[in-house]
Amino acid sequence: MAGGSVPIIAVTYVLAVVPLLLLCTNPCHKRIPKAVIYLYVAGFVLSALGWECWWTFGWVPPGQDVNHRRCPEDPSSCLSNQLLPPGINWIVTSLYDAGIVCMLGLWLVLQVWKKDVLLAMWNWKVFVVFLVWFVGQNLIVELLISGQISGAEDVNENEIFVSWAPLSPIGPHWNPSIKVIGEARLSVQNQIPWLLMTPLFYACCIAVYRRQHHQSKDDDDDEDDDDDDDDDDGFVWRMENVSEMFRMLAMATVAVPAAAAMVTIATILSY
């Protein structure tokens, strides 16, 4: 994801920062199991190194940096580029990918089956849920900001090229796209990262589950009466904890429309 218009940038900031704040304040409220925090970090690293850094800075020609893609005619004077410069863009978008996309995908899996044991080994049903959510949300995001990540239909001076990336290996050279609504487009290159992210993130879930499950068993063998304190140290993805985390997230993101409105009003008044 990468913000385009001022309201979208404001929403992106809020959705990226709120989950991070919830995780950073976890020692105070202790609502989020350590396993979820590990997977949040894994989601951030995978998205940042997998494509967000490459797409933000345009590291592989003919890929363009995000400033040029947002405002091809005059990148330096573009308000969007000033509000979300490249040095911050890759961090914010990776935080969004980890906190909203990956964590909500995990929550959906636990909502459907309500058994964390399904993450102990590969399960195609779980994989399909992750895949539908990852790709589905990305289609919506691309429709909102297709102007800066989808190539133009006609070759001209303002055509958009997104860099090659490890999780977007086809690059911009072969990137079929279709018009969907008005000028909004969907392209193949922009769906590939989340297609590849699905098995990688699911594999991380399995790895973390096994590690924490074994650690929890070892702790139980050492101290049988310490069951009440296992939530923080072992792999305990209890539904009430995960659901409460997202209830807190939903309450916190009530500020999104207000934040977008305030930024928009400030922008209008500044002219």
Side-chain angles (χ1 to χ4, degrees):
M1 178 177 181
S5 66
V6 172
I8 291 179
I9 288 176
V11 171
T12 304
Y13 267 117
V14 174
L15 293 180
V17 171
V18 168
L20 179 63
L21 290 177
L22 290 177
L23 293 172
C24 290
T25 56
N26 191 53
C28 299
H29 55 75
K30 295 183 179 179
R31 304 291 186 184
I32 306 171
K34 281 186 177 179
V36 175
I37 299 176
Y38 296 153
L39 290 173
Y40 176 88
V41 173
F44 177 86
V45 172
L46 286 172
S47 59
L49 300 183
W51 72 93
E52 294 292 6
C53 286
W54 303 75
W55 288 7
T56 295
F57 298 104
W59 281 339
V60 179
Q64 301 159 335
D65 63 78
V66 69
N67 280 358
H68 183 85
R69 299 200 310 272
R70 287 198 195 109
C71 306
E73 296 179 356
D74 189 7
S76 60
S77 63
C78 181
L79 178 61
S80 297
N81 291 340
Q82 296 171 10
L83 293 175
L84 194 60
I88 299 176
N89 183 87
W90 74 270
I91 299 175
V92 171
T93 54
S94 299
L95 288 174
Y96 170 89
D97 294 338
I100 299 299
V101 183
C102 293
M103 294 299 97
L104 274 178
L106 173 62
W107 178 77
L108 285 173
V109 167
L110 296 177
Q111 277 292 98
V112 172
W113 288 283
K114 298 188 178 182
K115 291 181 180 178
D116 53 70
V117 70
L118 286 173
L119 298 174
M121 61 183 65
W122 188 271
N123 184 299
W124 284 106
K125 293 179 181 179
V126 174
F127 174 80
V128 169
V129 171
F130 274 127
L131 181 65
V132 170
W133 165 244
F134 282 178
V135 176
Q137 63 80 32
N138 190 59
L139 292 172
I140 296 173
V141 169
E142 186 174 359
L143 289 176
L144 293 174
I145 59 170
S146 63
Q148 61 164 295
I149 59 176
S150 298
E153 186 175 15
D154 301 319
V155 176
N156 54 56
E157 58 184 1
N158 292 332
E159 188 173 8
I160 298 301
F161 290 105
V162 179
S163 172
W164 177 95
L167 292 187
S168 182
I170 65 172
H173 300 288
W174 183 80
N175 186 27
S177 63
I178 58 171
K179 278 188 178 181
V180 182
I181 303 172
E183 295 301 316
R185 308 180 67 84
L186 296 176
S187 64
V188 171
Q189 183 187 12
N190 298 308
Q191 312 315 316
I192 297 297
W194 284 109
L195 285 172
L196 299 179
M197 180 70 159
T198 304
L200 291 175
F201 183 73
Y202 186 20
C204 289
C205 291
I206 295 173
V208 170
Y209 178 93
R210 290 177 176 174
R211 176 182 178 277
Q212 295 295 91
H213 181 67
H214 291 186
Q215 178 183 343
S216 182
K217 284 181 64 177
D218 291 342
D219 291 343
D220 287 342
D221 291 341
D222 293 339
E223 295 181 52
D224 291 336
D225 355 319
D226 214 15
D227 292 340
D228 293 338
D229 297 329
D230 285 342
D231 284 3
D232 191 46
D233 295 327
F235 189 98
V236 183
W237 274 356
R238 291 183 176 175
M239 277 304 304
E240 58 268 23
N241 286 346
V242 180
S243 295
E244 187 165 354
M245 169 189 168
F246 284 101
R247 281 197 296 271
M248 294 169 61
L249 177 60
M251 292 173 62
T253 52
V254 169
V256 170
M262 290 174 62
V263 174
T264 304
I265 292 172
T267 304
I268 294 173
L269 293 176
S270 66
Y271 285 103

